[in-house]
Amino acid sequence: MTEQRNVLGGPLDLCSTDPLTGYLRDGCCTTGPENPLRHTVCAIMTSAFIEFQASVGNDLTTIRPDLRFPGLVPGDRWCVIAAKWFEAYEAGVACPVVLSATNEATLEIVPLSALLEHAVDRPAV
């Protein structure tokens, strides 16, 4: 799918095709100059995360056809902005993440230890 790497150093896996995610709507949390906000964390939506995002002005539920944004519900996987995920982490409402589908560029903003705390695919030690 992409030559970009995940936070564990492996190939970047698909995050979601239903709903179709990624800044480029390619299903992956790829990044580059066209994605300055870094939609790089493959997150699994929870009610608490969605509600927190709404409280800080990031509406994740309203459908936006102009942005090819379907509106999200708990259980959806979505490439979220790394800084927004970290803000939720610091507030105690981080949602689960898929490390294999989270872009390594996330590590410039979010410590790996925080991601590991919420990983659904935590590597064996």
Side-chain angles (χ1 to χ4, degrees):
M1 302 241 43
T2 177
E3 293 184 26
Q4 294 190 22
R5 312 300 284 174
N6 64 42
V7 293
L8 300 174
L12 185 64
D13 287 346
L14 189 69
C15 181
S16 176
T17 57
D18 185 22
L20 185 58
T21 191
Y23 185 78
L24 301 174
R25 298 297 187 261
D26 60 0
C28 290
C29 299
T30 53
T31 193
E34 71 286 345
N35 181 13
L37 293 178
R38 304 258 172 136
H39 296 75
T40 55
V41 177
C42 182
I44 302 172
M45 297 297 104
T46 62
S47 294
F49 182 81
I50 291 169
E51 289 167 15
F52 176 76
Q53 290 302 310
S55 77
V56 295
N58 187 21
D59 178 3
L60 296 177
T61 59
T62 301
I63 297 168
R64 294 280 313 269
D66 56 319
L67 300 175
R68 298 184 341 189
F69 181 71
L72 303 175
V73 297
D76 284 346
R77 287 185 179 198
W78 194 255
C79 295
V80 300
I81 296 170
K84 292 289 189 183
W85 185 90
F86 194 50
E87 181 180 26
Y89 170 83
E90 291 182 320
V93 290
C95 59
V97 297
V98 182
L99 298 176
S100 65
T102 295
N103 196 300
E104 68 182 348
T106 300
L107 299 176
E108 295 174 16
I109 299 165
V110 181
L112 181 59
S113 59
L115 295 168
L116 286 168
E117 285 179 44
H118 296 278
V120 297
D121 57 344
R122 186 179 177 131
V125 227

